[in-house]
Amino acid sequence: MNILKQGLLASVLSLPALAFAVATPGEAAPEFSEVDAKGKMHSLADYKGDWLVLEWFNKDCPYVRKHYGSGNMQSLQETYTGKDVKWLTVISSAEGKQGYLQPVEAQNQAKIHNLNASAPFLLDPDGDMGRAYGAKTTPHMFIINPEGEVVYAGAIDDNSSANPDVIPESKNYVAAALDAAMAGKPVEEASTQAYGCSVKY
Amino acid sequence: MLKQWTLALALLLCTGQALAQATASGDHVTVRWLAPEALAAKESQPLGFYFEVDPEWHVYWRNAGDSGAAPRFDMAVQGAEAGPIQWPYPQRLPIEHLTNLGYEGNVAYLFNLAPEAGAESVELTVDLEWLVCKVDCIPGFGKMNLNLPVEPEARWQESERERLNTFAARVPRSAEASPWQAASLLTGSNNALWLHLQGEGDAPQVFPLDGALLGAGKPDIEPAEGGYRYRFERQPGAALPATTGFVIAQGGSAWELPAVALGSQAPQQGQAQALWLLLLAAFAGGLILNLMPCVFPVLSIKLFGLINSGASGGARTREGLLYSSGVLVTFAALGALLLALRAGGAAIGWGFQLQSPAVVLALIVLFWLMALAFSGVFEFGHKLMSLAGNASGGSFVTGVLAVFVAAPCTGPFMGAALGAAAILPAASAMAIFLGLGAGLAAPFLLLTLSPALLSRLPRPGPWMDRLRQFFAFPLYATVIWLAWVLGRLLGDSGWLIACALALWLTFCLWLGGQSGRAWRFIGTGAAAAGLIAAFAYLPAAGDANSATAGQSLWQGYDRARIERALAERRPVFIDYTAAWCITCQVNKKLVLDTAHTSELFAKHNVLAIRADWTRHDPAITEALAELGRNSVPVYAWYAPGTDTPKLLPQLLQERMMTELFQPPSGDQ
C-alpha cells in the first residue's frame, strides 16, 4: 500500500486551468496589436517574413538611460535596421505611472532619444502586449524570426550594472542572438534573466 | 592612492581614534561599514556593509527576482583576506504581477575578513553600486575605505556588534545543518519545477538562487510525503541545468541547498525505511515476474533441462546459483546502463530492449529455433542445448535471457519500484534493480536448493517427450507475439521479414539435416546469409512509418489536447501502452476495448487517449516520468475538474471502470 502511495506521490503532474503562455524561445510569438505614437496599428502578422526585435522602454528608468544615454541602444537599432531587421520599442507603463507617454509626448521623446526603431514608440498603456510577452523589465528584449517564432528573450547584455561605463566590456546578447539566428545558426543563449526597472503596469 | 590616504587620514583626525567610518550615500540610501574598532589577529571574523534605507524603499538580494539588481561590492583589501559577500535571506516584494527579492528597510551585507599573519593594520577599499527602488528605481554609486588596527582581541562597540549579529543570524547556513532537505526536484507540465522538501513543521519559505531558471513569485505549496512540494515557475525557454540552488528560511534562520540535482532524489536517513520497503516491493515484483507469460517459456526450458539431466544435489545447486548470477548480473548491467543514460540526461524507458527491431528479430530467431527443436523438427542435440540446456554456461545464459524477456512485462509492483529507481540516488536505484533480480531468481534457486521440493517434481520418463512437445507451443505463441511487435515497430514489412526469415531458417535446417557433411555446411552458410540479409534490411524497413491504429474512441497522444480538455473540465483517461507489453494487451482486450467501457466513456464525454509507447515516443517518455513511471502499463484518470491524475492498478477490471463514474465514497 505504502508503495502504491509512493508511486502516486511521485507523480508530479498538475495542470493549472489555463497556462499563462508568455513569449518562450522556440515557440510561436504571442500575438499583439498596438498603435504607435502616430496612430498606426502594428500587429505580429504585419511582420511575418521579417526579423523583428521588441524592446521595452521607460524613459525614466536608469537602466534605459544607461543604454540610451550612452547611445548603445540607438547604435544597435541602427546596425540591425540597416540589415532590414524590424525594431519596435514598446512602452507598457500604465497611465499615471512612471514612463507613461501620451502620443504627442511620445513622438517628441522619440526625437529626443534619437530613436532608430521602425516606428515611433508602440503604446501599450493597458499592458496587454507586455503581459502577453511576459515583459518584466525595461529594457527587456525579444527577437522573433520571419516564421513568427521567438528566438531570444531576456536582457540586452550580461552586465546588470546601471553604470554606462561597463557597456564596452559587456557581452551584447541581442547582437549575438541576431547574428547567429540570421546566419542560420542556433542561438547559444536564447533565454537570459532580464535586468532593470520593473515594467510599470 | 595619495588621495585615499589623505581621506583616510582626514577621517582618522576627525574621529580622533582608530574607528574610521567612511560612508557612501545616494537618494534614499546611506551605506556605512559595520566593523569593529580593532580586528582580532589570526581569526576570520564577520564585517558588513550596513545599508540604511528609507521606509518603503528596498534594496536587493543576490537574485533580485523579476526586476532590479543586486548590489555590487568591488573590494580591494590590504593586510587581510576577504571572503565572498554573505546575503541575509530576503523577503518577497510583489509589484503588480511581478516579484522582487530584497529587503525593505535597513539591511547589512556581510563578509568574513581574516588578517594576514603579522599584519598590524588592514586597509579596505570598496567600490559600491546599488539599486534602491520603491516603484521607481534609483541607482547609487560610492567608494568607501576603512583602516583597522589588528590586535590580539577584537574590540567592538556593543551596538554595532549586535546589529551585525542580527543580520548574521539571517545568513543561510550550510545544507548539513538544515532541518529541511530536498527529496527531489522534478520538471512538471506547464513550465513548472517541483521541489519536494522533507522536514518537520510548517512549510518554510523557499527562495531560488538562479533567477535565470526560476521565477521569483511565491511558489504554490502543497503537502507531500514527509513535508511539502513547492511549484516554481520556470523562466520561459530557460535551459535546464544539472543542479540548481535554493535558500530555505524559517523562524528567523536560513539554510542554503547549493546544488539540488534536477530529476533526482537526495539520500537521507528518513528515507531508509522507504528504501527498505521499495526493496521488498522490488523483490516481490521479481517473484511475480516468474509468472509472467513472457518469462514462463524461458523458465520452462530451463526446468525441463534440469529434470532431464537427473543431476545430483550439488550439480543442481550449481545450476541454481549460475541461473541466479545470470539474472543478477544482467539486472546490474541494465541498472548501470539506465543510470549511465540517466546521468547523460537521456530520457530512457524500461523495456527499451524490445523497442529495438534488431533485438526483437534476434529473439524471434532464438524462440523459433527452440520451438522447432522442442517439436522435434531437428535434434536439439548438443548445440542449442548448450545455450539454454544443461551445460554450465547454459544456466547463466538462461538467467540473462529471462531478464531480457521479462523487462517489458512489468508486474503490478515493478512499475512503482522502477519509477522510484529512476529518481533515486545511484546506489539505491541499483539496489532496486538487484532486488528485482533476486525476486526473479529466487523460485528457481529454491527449487534447485531444496531436494524436498525437487523430489516432488515428476520422475523422468516417456511423458517428457510429450511435455517437451507441449512446451513448443508457448514458444510458437511467443514468436507470433514478437512478430506482431516487430510489425508494430516496422509496419507490414516487420511481419514479412520475421516470417520470411523463419521460413528460410526452417529450410536451412532441412538442408543441413540431409546426410553428409557438405549439406550441413550449405545449410549453415545459407542460414548465416539469410540472417545477415534480414538484419541488414531492418533499418531500411524502419523508415517506413507504421500508422498507429486509432479506433474512433481512442485518440493518439497529444499533450495540448489533454490540457485543453482539462481546462474545459472534461474527464480524461490516458492508456499508456505498448505493443510489446502483454499486460497492456490483456487490459485492452478485456476492459478498455469493450462495449461496456466505450459506452461509459461516450456517456460521460471522456477524452480517451491511447499513448502508444511502442516506438519510445519522447513526449510519452516525459509524460511517464512526470507520473514517476518509466514502464507501461500506466492508466491515468482525471476526474472532471481535477488536474491531478488518479493512477489505476496495472491489472484492470471492468468494475474499476464503472467505479470511476460513481460518486466518491466516504473515505476519499
Side-chain angles (χ1 to χ4, degrees), chain A residues 9 12-13 15 17 22 62 97 136-137 159-162 193 196 200, chain B residues 65-66 68 72 96 129 135 137 139 189 229 235-236 566-567 626 638 643:
Chain A
L9 282 168
V12 290
L13 196 73
L15 307 162
V22 298
K97 300 252 177 98
K136 291 171 177 167
T137 65
N159 196 321
S160 66
S161 169
Q193 183 175 18
K200 309 302 180 201
Chain B
D66 287 338
R72 289 151 176 263
E96 301 298 328
E129 182 187 337
V135 174
C137 295
S189 57
R229 248 194 345 241
Q235 300 286 19
L566 291 175
E626 283 169 13
Y638 298 80
D643 50 19

PDB file of all heavy atoms in Angstrom, chain A residues 9 12-13 15 17 22 62 97 136-137 159-162 193 196 200, chain B residues 65-66 68 72 96 129 135 137 139 189 229 235-236 566-567 626 638 643:
ATOM      1  N   LEU A   9       2.535   9.530  -5.125  1.00  0.00           N
ATOM      2  CA  LEU A   9       3.158  10.779  -4.677  1.00  0.00           C
ATOM      3  C   LEU A   9       4.257  11.209  -5.626  1.00  0.00           C
ATOM      4  O   LEU A   9       4.518  12.396  -5.792  1.00  0.00           O
ATOM      5  CB  LEU A   9       3.716  10.596  -3.264  1.00  0.00           C
ATOM      6  CG  LEU A   9       2.635  10.670  -2.202  1.00  0.00           C
ATOM      7  CD1 LEU A   9       3.188  10.195  -0.873  1.00  0.00           C
ATOM      8  CD2 LEU A   9       2.092  12.078  -2.078  1.00  0.00           C
ATOM      9  N   VAL A  12       3.949  14.015 -10.508  1.00  0.00           N
ATOM     10  CA  VAL A  12       4.095  15.454 -10.317  1.00  0.00           C
ATOM     11  C   VAL A  12       3.239  16.225 -11.308  1.00  0.00           C
ATOM     12  O   VAL A  12       3.396  17.424 -11.468  1.00  0.00           O
ATOM     13  CB  VAL A  12       5.565  15.887 -10.461  1.00  0.00           C
ATOM     14  CG1 VAL A  12       6.355  15.387  -9.290  1.00  0.00           C
ATOM     15  CG2 VAL A  12       6.131  15.367 -11.747  1.00  0.00           C
ATOM     16  N   LEU A  13       2.346  15.499 -11.961  1.00  0.00           N
ATOM     17  CA  LEU A  13       1.533  16.161 -12.973  1.00  0.00           C
ATOM     18  C   LEU A  13       0.466  16.996 -12.297  1.00  0.00           C
ATOM     19  O   LEU A  13      -0.330  16.500 -11.535  1.00  0.00           O
ATOM     20  CB  LEU A  13       0.887  15.124 -13.873  1.00  0.00           C
ATOM     21  CG  LEU A  13       0.342  15.676 -15.178  1.00  0.00           C
ATOM     22  CD1 LEU A  13       1.477  16.006 -16.105  1.00  0.00           C
ATOM     23  CD2 LEU A  13      -0.592  14.681 -15.807  1.00  0.00           C
ATOM     24  N   LEU A  15      -1.942  20.431 -13.472  1.00  0.00           N
ATOM     25  CA  LEU A  15      -2.138  21.394 -14.543  1.00  0.00           C
ATOM     26  C   LEU A  15      -3.014  22.548 -14.078  1.00  0.00           C
ATOM     27  O   LEU A  15      -4.166  22.350 -13.767  1.00  0.00           O
ATOM     28  CB  LEU A  15      -2.815  20.710 -15.730  1.00  0.00           C
ATOM     29  CG  LEU A  15      -2.132  19.447 -16.221  1.00  0.00           C
ATOM     30  CD1 LEU A  15      -3.076  18.648 -17.068  1.00  0.00           C
ATOM     31  CD2 LEU A  15      -0.894  19.786 -16.983  1.00  0.00           C
ATOM     32  N   ALA A  17      -5.525  25.530 -14.585  1.00  0.00           N
ATOM     33  CA  ALA A  17      -6.611  25.524 -15.553  1.00  0.00           C
ATOM     34  C   ALA A  17      -6.169  26.108 -16.891  1.00  0.00           C
ATOM     35  O   ALA A  17      -6.434  25.553 -17.937  1.00  0.00           O
ATOM     36  CB  ALA A  17      -7.797  26.286 -15.000  1.00  0.00           C
ATOM     37  N   VAL A  22       3.622  32.956 -22.112  1.00  0.00           N
ATOM     38  CA  VAL A  22       4.384  34.145 -22.457  1.00  0.00           C
ATOM     39  C   VAL A  22       5.369  33.783 -23.560  1.00  0.00           C
ATOM     40  O   VAL A  22       5.502  32.626 -23.926  1.00  0.00           O
ATOM     41  CB  VAL A  22       5.127  34.707 -21.222  1.00  0.00           C
ATOM     42  CG1 VAL A  22       4.140  35.112 -20.154  1.00  0.00           C
ATOM     43  CG2 VAL A  22       6.112  33.705 -20.690  1.00  0.00           C
ATOM     44  N   PRO A  62      16.596  54.154 -14.938  1.00  0.00           N
ATOM     45  CA  PRO A  62      18.049  54.358 -15.056  1.00  0.00           C
ATOM     46  C   PRO A  62      18.727  53.360 -15.999  1.00  0.00           C
ATOM     47  O   PRO A  62      19.755  53.682 -16.599  1.00  0.00           O
ATOM     48  CB  PRO A  62      18.557  54.154 -13.627  1.00  0.00           C
ATOM     49  CG  PRO A  62      17.381  54.107 -12.747  1.00  0.00           C
ATOM     50  CD  PRO A  62      16.141  53.935 -13.567  1.00  0.00           C
ATOM     51  N   LYS A  97       1.568  56.177 -14.236  1.00  0.00           N
ATOM     52  CA  LYS A  97       2.789  55.547 -13.712  1.00  0.00           C
ATOM     53  C   LYS A  97       4.011  56.072 -14.456  1.00  0.00           C
ATOM     54  O   LYS A  97       3.895  56.660 -15.540  1.00  0.00           O
ATOM     55  CB  LYS A  97       2.699  54.017 -13.878  1.00  0.00           C
ATOM     56  CG  LYS A  97       1.532  53.375 -13.147  1.00  0.00           C
ATOM     57  CD  LYS A  97       2.010  52.594 -11.940  1.00  0.00           C
ATOM     58  CE  LYS A  97       0.858  52.010 -11.150  1.00  0.00           C
ATOM     59  NZ  LYS A  97       0.622  50.602 -11.476  1.00  0.00           N
ATOM     60  N   LYS A 136       9.153  41.931 -18.229  1.00  0.00           N
ATOM     61  CA  LYS A 136       9.277  42.212 -16.804  1.00  0.00           C
ATOM     62  C   LYS A 136      10.027  43.490 -16.527  1.00  0.00           C
ATOM     63  O   LYS A 136       9.785  44.145 -15.523  1.00  0.00           O
ATOM     64  CB  LYS A 136       9.995  41.053 -16.116  1.00  0.00           C
ATOM     65  CG  LYS A 136       9.175  39.789 -16.082  1.00  0.00           C
ATOM     66  CD  LYS A 136       9.996  38.613 -15.601  1.00  0.00           C
ATOM     67  CE  LYS A 136       9.123  37.374 -15.504  1.00  0.00           C
ATOM     68  NZ  LYS A 136       9.928  36.168 -15.332  1.00  0.00           N
ATOM     69  N   THR A 137      10.997  43.781 -17.361  1.00  0.00           N
ATOM     70  CA  THR A 137      11.865  44.910 -17.045  1.00  0.00           C
ATOM     71  C   THR A 137      11.993  45.841 -18.245  1.00  0.00           C
ATOM     72  O   THR A 137      11.654  45.491 -19.373  1.00  0.00           O
ATOM     73  CB  THR A 137      13.290  44.432 -16.693  1.00  0.00           C
ATOM     74  OG1 THR A 137      13.869  43.841 -17.850  1.00  0.00           O
ATOM     75  CG2 THR A 137      13.277  43.422 -15.567  1.00  0.00           C
ATOM     76  N   ASN A 159      25.677  42.482 -18.313  1.00  0.00           N
ATOM     77  CA  ASN A 159      26.126  43.247 -17.152  1.00  0.00           C
ATOM     78  C   ASN A 159      24.979  44.081 -16.602  1.00  0.00           C
ATOM     79  O   ASN A 159      24.536  45.035 -17.227  1.00  0.00           O
ATOM     80  CB  ASN A 159      27.302  44.144 -17.520  1.00  0.00           C
ATOM     81  CG  ASN A 159      28.018  44.646 -16.288  1.00  0.00           C
ATOM     82  OD1 ASN A 159      27.381  44.972 -15.286  1.00  0.00           O
ATOM     83  ND2 ASN A 159      29.339  44.695 -16.341  1.00  0.00           N
ATOM     84  N   SER A 160      24.502  43.702 -15.405  1.00  0.00           N
ATOM     85  CA  SER A 160      23.315  44.338 -14.856  1.00  0.00           C
ATOM     86  C   SER A 160      23.626  45.634 -14.119  1.00  0.00           C
ATOM     87  O   SER A 160      22.780  46.162 -13.417  1.00  0.00           O
ATOM     88  CB  SER A 160      22.594  43.366 -13.921  1.00  0.00           C
ATOM     89  OG  SER A 160      23.403  43.112 -12.792  1.00  0.00           O
ATOM     90  N   SER A 161      24.836  46.132 -14.280  1.00  0.00           N
ATOM     91  CA  SER A 161      25.161  47.404 -13.642  1.00  0.00           C
ATOM     92  C   SER A 161      24.381  48.528 -14.325  1.00  0.00           C
ATOM     93  O   SER A 161      24.055  48.454 -15.500  1.00  0.00           O
ATOM     94  CB  SER A 161      26.660  47.666 -13.777  1.00  0.00           C
ATOM     95  OG  SER A 161      26.943  48.999 -13.385  1.00  0.00           O
ATOM     96  N   ALA A 162      24.089  49.600 -13.554  1.00  0.00           N
ATOM     97  CA  ALA A 162      23.423  50.761 -14.138  1.00  0.00           C
ATOM     98  C   ALA A 162      24.446  51.735 -14.715  1.00  0.00           C
ATOM     99  O   ALA A 162      24.092  52.758 -15.291  1.00  0.00           O
ATOM    100  CB  ALA A 162      22.574  51.458 -13.078  1.00  0.00           C
ATOM    101  N   GLN A 193      18.232  36.169 -17.915  1.00  0.00           N
ATOM    102  CA  GLN A 193      17.448  36.905 -16.918  1.00  0.00           C
ATOM    103  C   GLN A 193      17.523  38.393 -17.246  1.00  0.00           C
ATOM    104  O   GLN A 193      18.593  38.987 -17.207  1.00  0.00           O
ATOM    105  CB  GLN A 193      17.990  36.640 -15.519  1.00  0.00           C
ATOM    106  CG  GLN A 193      17.163  37.316 -14.434  1.00  0.00           C
ATOM    107  CD  GLN A 193      17.631  36.946 -13.042  1.00  0.00           C
ATOM    108  OE1 GLN A 193      18.745  36.457 -12.853  1.00  0.00           O
ATOM    109  NE2 GLN A 193      16.777  37.166 -12.052  1.00  0.00           N
ATOM    110  N   GLY A 196      16.902  45.311 -14.797  1.00  0.00           N
ATOM    111  CA  GLY A 196      16.462  46.685 -14.941  1.00  0.00           C
ATOM    112  C   GLY A 196      15.288  46.999 -14.038  1.00  0.00           C
ATOM    113  O   GLY A 196      15.023  46.285 -13.074  1.00  0.00           O
ATOM    114  N   LYS A 200       6.207  49.269 -15.543  1.00  0.00           N
ATOM    115  CA  LYS A 200       5.242  49.909 -14.626  1.00  0.00           C
ATOM    116  C   LYS A 200       3.817  49.655 -15.082  1.00  0.00           C
ATOM    117  O   LYS A 200       3.143  50.551 -15.592  1.00  0.00           O
ATOM    118  CB  LYS A 200       5.514  51.425 -14.531  1.00  0.00           C
ATOM    119  CG  LYS A 200       6.971  51.781 -14.234  1.00  0.00           C
ATOM    120  CD  LYS A 200       7.486  51.173 -12.942  1.00  0.00           C
ATOM    121  CE  LYS A 200       8.950  51.568 -12.708  1.00  0.00           C
ATOM    122  NZ  LYS A 200       9.646  50.676 -11.793  1.00  0.00           N
TER     123      LYS A 200
ATOM    124  N   GLY B  65      15.298  38.790  -8.591  1.00  0.00           N
ATOM    125  CA  GLY B  65      13.934  38.431  -8.968  1.00  0.00           C
ATOM    126  C   GLY B  65      13.571  38.980 -10.336  1.00  0.00           C
ATOM    127  O   GLY B  65      14.424  39.102 -11.210  1.00  0.00           O
ATOM    128  N   ASP B  66      12.277  39.299 -10.509  1.00  0.00           N
ATOM    129  CA  ASP B  66      11.789  39.663 -11.839  1.00  0.00           C
ATOM    130  C   ASP B  66      12.384  40.961 -12.373  1.00  0.00           C
ATOM    131  O   ASP B  66      12.406  41.195 -13.577  1.00  0.00           O
ATOM    132  CB  ASP B  66      10.262  39.773 -11.820  1.00  0.00           C
ATOM    133  CG  ASP B  66       9.613  38.400 -11.724  1.00  0.00           C
ATOM    134  OD1 ASP B  66      10.276  37.415 -12.094  1.00  0.00           O
ATOM    135  OD2 ASP B  66       8.460  38.318 -11.285  1.00  0.00           O
ATOM    136  N   GLY B  68      15.048  44.680 -11.085  1.00  0.00           N
ATOM    137  CA  GLY B  68      16.003  45.133 -10.083  1.00  0.00           C
ATOM    138  C   GLY B  68      17.389  44.578 -10.309  1.00  0.00           C
ATOM    139  O   GLY B  68      17.644  43.921 -11.316  1.00  0.00           O
ATOM    140  N   ARG B  72      26.566  45.674  -5.915  1.00  0.00           N
ATOM    141  CA  ARG B  72      27.878  45.157  -6.289  1.00  0.00           C
ATOM    142  C   ARG B  72      28.919  45.712  -5.335  1.00  0.00           C
ATOM    143  O   ARG B  72      28.873  46.889  -4.994  1.00  0.00           O
ATOM    144  CB  ARG B  72      28.225  45.616  -7.703  1.00  0.00           C
ATOM    145  CG  ARG B  72      27.412  44.932  -8.739  1.00  0.00           C
ATOM    146  CD  ARG B  72      27.244  45.816  -9.951  1.00  0.00           C
ATOM    147  NE  ARG B  72      26.525  45.057 -10.953  1.00  0.00           N
ATOM    148  CZ  ARG B  72      27.136  44.411 -11.949  1.00  0.00           C
ATOM    149  NH1 ARG B  72      28.433  44.498 -12.114  1.00  0.00           N
ATOM    150  NH2 ARG B  72      26.435  43.711 -12.790  1.00  0.00           N
ATOM    151  N   GLU B  96       2.808  44.691  -8.774  1.00  0.00           N
ATOM    152  CA  GLU B  96       1.811  44.216  -9.745  1.00  0.00           C
ATOM    153  C   GLU B  96       1.921  42.697  -9.830  1.00  0.00           C
ATOM    154  O   GLU B  96       1.901  42.040  -8.804  1.00  0.00           O
ATOM    155  CB  GLU B  96       2.026  44.887 -11.114  1.00  0.00           C
ATOM    156  CG  GLU B  96       1.941  46.412 -11.085  1.00  0.00           C
ATOM    157  CD  GLU B  96       0.574  46.942 -10.640  1.00  0.00           C
ATOM    158  OE1 GLU B  96      -0.439  46.300 -10.910  1.00  0.00           O
ATOM    159  OE2 GLU B  96       0.532  48.008  -9.997  1.00  0.00           O
ATOM    160  N   GLU B 129      28.062  49.720  -5.909  1.00  0.00           N
ATOM    161  CA  GLU B 129      26.962  50.132  -6.772  1.00  0.00           C
ATOM    162  C   GLU B 129      25.715  49.459  -6.233  1.00  0.00           C
ATOM    163  O   GLU B 129      25.751  48.291  -5.868  1.00  0.00           O
ATOM    164  CB  GLU B 129      27.192  49.697  -8.225  1.00  0.00           C
ATOM    165  CG  GLU B 129      26.058  50.164  -9.120  1.00  0.00           C
ATOM    166  CD  GLU B 129      26.135  49.630 -10.547  1.00  0.00           C
ATOM    167  OE1 GLU B 129      27.239  49.263 -10.986  1.00  0.00           O
ATOM    168  OE2 GLU B 129      25.073  49.588 -11.192  1.00  0.00           O
ATOM    169  N   VAL B 135       8.716  52.154  -6.280  1.00  0.00           N
ATOM    170  CA  VAL B 135       8.214  51.647  -7.551  1.00  0.00           C
ATOM    171  C   VAL B 135       9.246  52.056  -8.589  1.00  0.00           C
ATOM    172  O   VAL B 135       9.701  51.258  -9.395  1.00  0.00           O
ATOM    173  CB  VAL B 135       6.825  52.227  -7.875  1.00  0.00           C
ATOM    174  CG1 VAL B 135       6.411  51.794  -9.268  1.00  0.00           C
ATOM    175  CG2 VAL B 135       5.811  51.770  -6.839  1.00  0.00           C
ATOM    176  N   CYS B 137      13.056  53.297  -9.582  1.00  0.00           N
ATOM    177  CA  CYS B 137      14.361  52.799  -9.137  1.00  0.00           C
ATOM    178  C   CYS B 137      15.427  53.865  -9.316  1.00  0.00           C
ATOM    179  O   CYS B 137      15.430  54.590 -10.312  1.00  0.00           O
ATOM    180  CB  CYS B 137      14.760  51.580  -9.959  1.00  0.00           C
ATOM    181  SG  CYS B 137      13.660  50.197  -9.704  1.00  0.00           S
ATOM    182  N   PRO B 139      19.645  54.151  -9.107  1.00  0.00           N
ATOM    183  CA  PRO B 139      20.937  53.531  -8.838  1.00  0.00           C
ATOM    184  C   PRO B 139      21.821  54.454  -8.007  1.00  0.00           C
ATOM    185  O   PRO B 139      21.690  55.688  -8.081  1.00  0.00           O
ATOM    186  CB  PRO B 139      21.531  53.316 -10.227  1.00  0.00           C
ATOM    187  CG  PRO B 139      20.765  54.181 -11.152  1.00  0.00           C
ATOM    188  CD  PRO B 139      19.526  54.677 -10.476  1.00  0.00           C
ATOM    189  N   SER B 189       4.404  19.698 -15.830  1.00  0.00           N
ATOM    190  CA  SER B 189       3.800  20.274 -17.025  1.00  0.00           C
ATOM    191  C   SER B 189       3.690  21.784 -16.846  1.00  0.00           C
ATOM    192  O   SER B 189       3.888  22.310 -15.750  1.00  0.00           O
ATOM    193  CB  SER B 189       2.426  19.666 -17.241  1.00  0.00           C
ATOM    194  OG  SER B 189       1.645  19.878 -16.096  1.00  0.00           O
ATOM    195  N   ARG B 229       5.543  20.137  -1.143  1.00  0.00           N
ATOM    196  CA  ARG B 229       6.009  20.311  -2.508  1.00  0.00           C
ATOM    197  C   ARG B 229       5.778  21.739  -2.940  1.00  0.00           C
ATOM    198  O   ARG B 229       4.711  22.291  -2.732  1.00  0.00           O
ATOM    199  CB  ARG B 229       5.296  19.346  -3.443  1.00  0.00           C
ATOM    200  CG  ARG B 229       6.271  18.325  -3.951  1.00  0.00           C
ATOM    201  CD  ARG B 229       5.833  17.513  -5.115  1.00  0.00           C
ATOM    202  NE  ARG B 229       4.435  17.559  -5.403  1.00  0.00           N
ATOM    203  CZ  ARG B 229       3.655  16.483  -5.386  1.00  0.00           C
ATOM    204  NH1 ARG B 229       4.154  15.344  -5.054  1.00  0.00           N
ATOM    205  NH2 ARG B 229       2.389  16.591  -5.710  1.00  0.00           N
ATOM    206  N   GLN B 235      11.474  29.934 -15.954  1.00  0.00           N
ATOM    207  CA  GLN B 235      11.516  31.060 -16.891  1.00  0.00           C
ATOM    208  C   GLN B 235      11.314  30.513 -18.301  1.00  0.00           C
ATOM    209  O   GLN B 235      11.878  29.473 -18.648  1.00  0.00           O
ATOM    210  CB  GLN B 235      12.865  31.796 -16.816  1.00  0.00           C
ATOM    211  CG  GLN B 235      13.185  32.370 -15.454  1.00  0.00           C
ATOM    212  CD  GLN B 235      12.364  33.610 -15.109  1.00  0.00           C
ATOM    213  OE1 GLN B 235      11.328  33.879 -15.700  1.00  0.00           O
ATOM    214  NE2 GLN B 235      12.798  34.353 -14.119  1.00  0.00           N
ATOM    215  N   PRO B 236      10.511  31.209 -19.106  1.00  0.00           N
ATOM    216  CA  PRO B 236      10.211  30.687 -20.438  1.00  0.00           C
ATOM    217  C   PRO B 236      11.488  30.382 -21.222  1.00  0.00           C
ATOM    218  O   PRO B 236      12.339  31.246 -21.361  1.00  0.00           O
ATOM    219  CB  PRO B 236       9.435  31.820 -21.120  1.00  0.00           C
ATOM    220  CG  PRO B 236       9.014  32.732 -20.037  1.00  0.00           C
ATOM    221  CD  PRO B 236       9.897  32.514 -18.865  1.00  0.00           C
ATOM    222  N   LEU B 566      -8.709  19.294 -20.011  1.00  0.00           N
ATOM    223  CA  LEU B 566      -8.700  19.508 -18.560  1.00  0.00           C
ATOM    224  C   LEU B 566      -9.170  20.908 -18.227  1.00  0.00           C
ATOM    225  O   LEU B 566      -9.879  21.129 -17.250  1.00  0.00           O
ATOM    226  CB  LEU B 566      -7.300  19.260 -17.999  1.00  0.00           C
ATOM    227  CG  LEU B 566      -6.847  17.801 -18.041  1.00  0.00           C
ATOM    228  CD1 LEU B 566      -5.411  17.677 -17.576  1.00  0.00           C
ATOM    229  CD2 LEU B 566      -7.742  16.913 -17.197  1.00  0.00           C
ATOM    230  N   ALA B 567      -8.759  21.875 -19.058  1.00  0.00           N
ATOM    231  CA  ALA B 567      -9.184  23.247 -18.830  1.00  0.00           C
ATOM    232  C   ALA B 567     -10.704  23.357 -18.981  1.00  0.00           C
ATOM    233  O   ALA B 567     -11.348  24.164 -18.315  1.00  0.00           O
ATOM    234  CB  ALA B 567      -8.483  24.192 -19.792  1.00  0.00           C
ATOM    235  N   GLU B 626       6.836  12.195 -15.538  1.00  0.00           N
ATOM    236  CA  GLU B 626       6.105  13.109 -14.656  1.00  0.00           C
ATOM    237  C   GLU B 626       5.200  12.331 -13.707  1.00  0.00           C
ATOM    238  O   GLU B 626       4.856  12.808 -12.629  1.00  0.00           O
ATOM    239  CB  GLU B 626       5.269  14.081 -15.490  1.00  0.00           C
ATOM    240  CG  GLU B 626       6.115  15.180 -16.100  1.00  0.00           C
ATOM    241  CD  GLU B 626       5.354  15.980 -17.143  1.00  0.00           C
ATOM    242  OE1 GLU B 626       4.112  15.841 -17.219  1.00  0.00           O
ATOM    243  OE2 GLU B 626       6.011  16.731 -17.883  1.00  0.00           O
ATOM    244  N   TYR B 638      -8.255  11.356 -14.997  1.00  0.00           N
ATOM    245  CA  TYR B 638      -8.505  12.700 -14.496  1.00  0.00           C
ATOM    246  C   TYR B 638     -10.008  12.870 -14.389  1.00  0.00           C
ATOM    247  O   TYR B 638     -10.698  13.000 -15.409  1.00  0.00           O
ATOM    248  CB  TYR B 638      -7.953  13.764 -15.455  1.00  0.00           C
ATOM    249  CG  TYR B 638      -6.463  13.704 -15.650  1.00  0.00           C
ATOM    250  CD1 TYR B 638      -5.888  12.767 -16.512  1.00  0.00           C
ATOM    251  CD2 TYR B 638      -5.622  14.594 -15.003  1.00  0.00           C
ATOM    252  CE1 TYR B 638      -4.525  12.718 -16.700  1.00  0.00           C
ATOM    253  CE2 TYR B 638      -4.250  14.553 -15.195  1.00  0.00           C
ATOM    254  CZ  TYR B 638      -3.705  13.607 -16.042  1.00  0.00           C
ATOM    255  OH  TYR B 638      -2.356  13.563 -16.235  1.00  0.00           O
ATOM    256  N   ASP B 643      -7.038  18.203 -11.817  1.00  0.00           N
ATOM    257  CA  ASP B 643      -5.895  18.216 -12.730  1.00  0.00           C
ATOM    258  C   ASP B 643      -4.795  17.303 -12.226  1.00  0.00           C
ATOM    259  O   ASP B 643      -3.692  17.303 -12.726  1.00  0.00           O
ATOM    260  CB  ASP B 643      -5.386  19.649 -12.960  1.00  0.00           C
ATOM    261  CG  ASP B 643      -5.180  20.387 -11.673  1.00  0.00           C
ATOM    262  OD1 ASP B 643      -5.078  19.712 -10.628  1.00  0.00           O
ATOM    263  OD2 ASP B 643      -5.130  21.623 -11.696  1.00  0.00           O
TER     264      ASP B 643
END
